[in-house]
Amino acid sequence: MLAVRDLTKSFTGPGGEVRALAGVSFELAAGDFLAVQGHSGSGKTTLLLACGALQRPDSGSVTIAGQDPYRLGAEERAAFRARHIGFVFQQFHLIPYLTVLENVLAPLLALNASAAPARAMELLERFQIQDRAAHRPQQLSTGERQRTALARALLHRPKLILADEPTGNLDEQNADTVLDSLRELAKEGAAVLMVTHDNRLAAKAARVLALEHGRPKAEAAHAH
Amino acid sequence: MSTITLVLREMLHRRLNFALGVLAVAAAAACLAGAMTRLEAHRLRSEEILAQRQAETAERLKQMKGDVRKITLQLQFNITILAKEQNRKDFLINHYAEASMPEEYAAKLGQSDLTAINHLEPSLTQKITWTEQNCPMILTGVRGEVPLRLVDAKKPFHQPVPKGSVALGQELARQAGVSPGGAVKILGREFKVAAVHDPRGNVDDVTAWVHLQEAQELLKKPGQINAMKAMNCECSLADLDKIPGKIEAILPGVQAILDKPPADVRTAALARAEEESQAALAAEQAHRERIGQELEASAALVVPLVGAASAVWLAFLAFSNVRARREEIGILRALGVRGAKVLALFMLRAAVLGVLGGALGYALGFAAGWWWSGAAESGVAFAAQRLFSAGCLALVLAGGPLLAALASWLPALAAAQRDPAELLRADA
Ligand SMILES: Nc1ncnc2c1ncn2[C@@H]1O[C@H](COP(=O)(O)OP(=O)(O)OP(=O)(O)O)[C@@H](O)[C@H]1O
Ligand SMILES: [Mg+2]
């Protein structure tokens, strides 16, 4: 589903060049669940954005469903994202003037799905924010926002799920709900890439990719 | 979740920016609508004033013309026709012409196309010495009126004198001591006194009228006349001066002298009044046009100025709106919404903003223009529906969205083309 080869990405800041990714390669098949771990600033978000067809790497290649999205034009790449990728941002990035339900339904602006409202309500129920459906993001707790962002990413059942710290602000019980959902999706055939600091959760992932200064430290496979 | 829901939610969310944008469009639209309404009111008022002035002038002229017409109708326009070679001064001094012309001239003129003449009297007049009484007298031969081809016979102006008869002026009758029914000898020929005229106090009192043919014989001028009088000529005053020329064209051997009627003075006055009215009307029109041009000139200055200020203001608002929405744009793009659709969201917003601003601006501008013209045109306010212009409304309803769309096009396009990751980071 996802193949990443020798990804590098550098940023030029005021203090000179920052190498966010310095040669990362891995593959993720349908049904795989990979946890990405690393210190703050180790390049996790950068990796996710590059895998999500959102940020072009300096070198290396990203192949999703057999296609390199960076070979596409910007408009086609957007359509490609809509079709294949569900992204959960570290900062949630909810649209402030839309309700929770409307935020979850926002991918409809890019895609048509007739069953979407029912699916959206189902997701809200699964993440226990159904009674927040009519609230605005600023009326939500951080954890509720996080779950809203996750529900939005899952609306159209993407084949590749990229979640940047989806459980960072959740209590253990809610974190488990989220993790179970992601694992369930993986079981249903999605490829899941999840950034987490939580070793407890990482331990539940099938594989772990540890990043250090933009390089993989080790990729450990957990046996279940 | 539809595009329009998103656009409406955003408008409500950023009310201030949206309201300021509506006001910016409204300001430009109000300016345009106000100016157009004012100009339309001015145009209508000008039309009214000019129509009123025109009607007044026409009424006055009609009255004057009626007066002049009444006067001129009562006048006789007489024409004296003499032989061409006759010296006019001598004729005026002597009251008769020395030069003579053929009698057929009268018939020829009678058969001509001239319709202005109602009566035509040929005559032969000469000052002679009345040998029988040893005193001067005027002998006039008349033969009655010449039939006119194009004019129905009218009651003759003078009764013709039958052959062998004479009509005598008062002085002559007294000199000879005769009365009607008596007889008198003139140049050896005896005439029956048919009539003795009452004293007239002019040359008629020393004139004897006999039949033309007998006068020709006595004066030894067979077949000759020396004057024709055309009387009661009727024609428009304007054509009057042309009649002598027409007569002279028909009869190249004559000269025609017109007795100009005193109505001429009134005609001239009428013409002058007409000219003055026209000039006053033209001046009024010019005055109204000048005001109109001043209004247009100030509109031509103010409307583009306000329009440009509104455009700058709108561009600033659009820029700040796009800036505030970078994260949103990033989210939508990350979710897979195409850049074109993101741009469409902004254009839809601009369209709603422009239509609202245009409608509001038209209403305000129309009201202001209406009030202004009422105040400016000496308190005369037009019915609002007369000033309402569907074209102007359509213009601002189309122009408002266009202006708003143009103002937000570039910032929205620039944002829609940026990398989503960059946009998301910008607000993070
Ligand atoms: N757009 C950018 N411009 C400049 N530097 C950037 C940019 N994006 C990331 N970086 C830098 O790249 C490095 C990796 O950043 P990244 O966001 O991937 O870290 P991270 O592992 O997700 O950290 P965290 O756990 O805190 O979220 C950091 O040092 C960051 O400062
Ligand atoms: Mg991060």
Side-chain angles (χ1 to χ4, degrees):
Chain A
M1 186 64 213
L2 170 67
V4 171
R5 263 209 222 306
D6 293 326
L7 277 194
T8 68
K9 178 78 185 175
S10 302
F11 298 100
T12 36
E17 199 168 80
V18 178
R19 269 172 92 74
L21 290 178
V24 180
S25 303
F26 65 89
E27 276 186 27
L28 204 59
D32 277 356
F33 192 144
L34 176 66
V36 179
Q37 282 198 296
H39 296 295
S40 180
S42 58
K44 304 181 296 292
T45 298
T46 308
L47 176 65
L48 240 64
L49 289 171
C51 292
L54 285 168
Q55 193 165 55
R56 184 184 293 279
D58 293 340
S59 69
S61 71
V62 176
T63 311
I64 301 165
Q67 215 176 351
D68 182 346
Y70 295 107
R71 294 236 168 108
L72 299 173
E75 294 290 75
E76 287 74 35
R77 192 156 64 244
F80 183 87
R81 282 194 295 272
R83 269 199 311 278
H84 296 290
I85 300 166
F87 210 109
V88 185
F89 297 98
Q90 194 169 8
Q91 278 89 10
F92 326 135
H93 291 311
L94 299 174
I95 296 175
Y97 48 83
L98 297 182
T99 63
V100 165
L101 181 61
E102 285 164 347
N103 263 290
V104 173
L105 288 170
L108 290 184
L109 289 165
L111 286 170
N112 278 325
S114 49
R119 164 86 176 147
M121 279 317 291
E122 175 200 317
L123 286 166
L124 292 186
E125 272 164 33
R126 184 187 304 181
F127 298 129
Q128 293 174 352
I129 44 174
Q130 70 273 27
D131 46 350
R132 296 282 177 277
H135 287 60
R136 299 288 155 87
Q138 74 266 27
Q139 299 169 308
L140 301 178
S141 74
T142 311
E144 285 164 342
R145 288 180 211 181
Q146 195 156 42
R147 281 173 281 161
T148 304
L150 184 63
R152 179 178 67 187
L154 303 184
L155 181 78
H156 57 292
R157 302 174 198 276
K159 287 280 167 262
L160 176 60
I161 295 161
L162 303 166
D164 201 348
E165 301 249 19
T167 58
N169 299 285
L170 302 183
D171 56 73
E172 211 168 286
Q173 192 197 333
N174 271 309
D176 284 343
T177 311
V178 167
L179 195 77
D180 289 347
S181 294
L182 291 174
R183 278 174 25 170
E184 213 170 290
L185 286 160
K187 270 196 201 121
E188 286 166 15
V192 181
L193 190 60
M194 179 184 78
V195 171
T196 182
H197 277 112
D198 190 335
N199 286 326
R200 188 182 69 84
L201 294 178
K204 292 189 177 185
R207 293 154 60 199
V208 174
L209 171 68
L211 281 184
E212 199 170 57
H213 303 303
R215 281 196 180 80
K217 204 161 80 178
E219 194 181 325
H222 295 263
H224 276 269
Chain B
M1 195 44 226
S2 66
T3 310
I4 188 73
T5 311
L6 188 98
V7 170
L8 292 176
R9 285 276 152 84
E10 194 277 332
M11 281 172 195
L12 289 173
H13 181 64
R14 297 198 179 84
R15 292 180 207 87
L16 184 65
N17 183 293
F18 185 75
L20 289 175
V22 169
L23 284 182
V25 172
C31 222
L32 182 70
M36 283 178 80
T37 306
R38 176 71 188 92
L39 282 172
E40 178 64 7
H42 173 78
R43 196 185 63 73
L44 284 175
R45 185 82 190 107
S46 297
E47 264 177 15
E48 267 186 16
I49 288 176
L50 289 176
Q52 194 186 334
R53 292 272 185 290
Q54 232 151 17
E56 283 167 11
T57 304
E59 181 55 31
R60 209 171 55 238
L61 286 176
K62 203 172 123 196
Q63 256 171 24
M64 285 177 81
K65 273 183 187 156
D67 291 348
V68 169
R69 192 175 176 77
K70 271 183 223 149
I71 292 157
T72 54
L73 276 178
Q74 293 160 4
L75 287 168
Q76 296 172 7
F77 303 13
N78 294 342
I79 298 169
T80 307
I81 302 165
L82 304 172
K84 196 179 186 74
E85 61 270 26
Q86 174 63 45
N87 182 307
R88 279 195 197 199
K89 274 182 256 162
D90 291 348
F91 170 75
L92 293 170
I93 289 166
N94 298 332
H95 290 288
Y96 69 90
E98 283 111 34
S100 57
M101 55 195 165
E103 192 185 337
E104 312 94 79
Y105 276 14
K108 201 171 164 192
L109 194 57
Q111 291 307 302
S112 74
D113 291 337
L114 208 62
T115 54
I117 296 173
N118 279 324
H119 302 274
L120 184 61
E121 280 184 1
S123 62
L124 181 64
T125 300
Q126 198 169 318
K127 184 182 164 191
I128 58 165
T129 302
W130 192 0
T131 45
E132 282 80 0
Q133 298 289 332
N134 196 25
C135 69
M137 71 176 284
I138 304 287
L139 180 68
T140 297
V142 291
R143 62 154 232 214
E145 290 184 17
V146 174
L148 301 167
R149 184 166 67 90
L150 297 177
V151 180
D152 294 336
K154 297 198 171 65
K155 191 167 169 277
F157 220 71
H158 294 119
Q159 285 302 317
V161 186
K163 279 189 185 162
S165 295
V166 66
L168 287 174
Q170 179 74 55
E171 286 299 326
L172 295 185
R174 193 188 309 160
Q175 171 87 32
V178 290
S179 49
V184 72
K185 266 198 167 173
I186 299 170
L187 298 183
R189 188 180 290 214
E190 184 157 305
F191 291 93
K192 185 164 157 268
V193 179
V196 172
H197 294 304
D198 289 335
R200 292 175 181 172
N202 60 19
V203 73
D204 283 359
D205 290 348
V206 292
T207 302
W209 290 271
V210 298
H211 192 273
L212 178 62
Q213 200 184 328
E214 288 170 328
Q216 285 167 342
E217 285 161 14
L218 290 176
L219 298 174
K220 306 200 166 43
K221 287 184 175 167
Q224 294 286 299
I225 53 173
N226 60 3
M228 288 186 273
K229 274 256 176 211
M231 281 160 299
N232 259 13
C233 298
E234 277 175 11
C235 67
S236 74
L237 284 169
D239 288 339
L240 190 64
D241 282 332
K242 295 177 195 151
I243 290 186
K246 282 186 183 166
I247 292 171
E248 285 162 10
I250 295 163
L251 300 172
V254 307
Q255 54 179 311
I257 303 165
L258 183 70
D259 293 358
K260 265 209 170 178
D264 230 22
V265 179
R266 290 167 200 267
T267 317
L270 179 70
R272 204 165 50 244
E274 207 162 351
E275 254 166 40
E276 275 165 13
S277 310
Q278 292 301 337
L281 214 60
E284 179 80 53
Q285 191 161 11
H287 174 65
R288 296 297 302 177
E289 268 167 20
R290 205 172 51 248
I291 296 178
Q293 278 161 4
E294 278 164 15
L295 286 172
E296 259 171 44
S298 52
L301 189 73
V302 171
V303 172
L305 219 74
V306 173
S310 294
V312 170
W313 187 6
L314 269 175
F316 169 74
L317 288 170
F319 178 78
S320 73
N321 182 254
V322 169
R323 206 180 157 75
R325 295 173 70 182
R326 280 184 305 186
E327 184 188 0
E328 253 174 84
I329 298 169
I331 297 166
L332 293 173
R333 299 281 287 125
L335 291 176
V337 177
R338 287 165 186 266
K341 182 142 186 180
V342 170
L343 198 57
L345 291 174
F346 281 88
M347 294 303 108
L348 191 59
R349 179 183 187 273
V352 175
L353 187 151
V355 167
L356 285 180
L360 177 68
Y362 184 84
L364 291 176
F366 181 81
W370 184 53
W371 176 83
W372 178 21
S373 46
E377 305 285 1
S378 58
V380 182
F382 286 101
Q385 65 266 31
R386 285 189 66 194
L387 292 182
F388 173 78
S389 154
C392 180
L393 180 60
L395 186 69
V396 299
L397 287 186
L402 196 71
L403 191 67
L406 282 178
S408 59
W409 178 265
L410 279 181
L413 184 69
Q417 283 176 345
R418 277 177 69 183
D419 231 3
E422 245 179 277
L423 290 165
L424 289 172
R425 180 169 288 271
D427 278 327

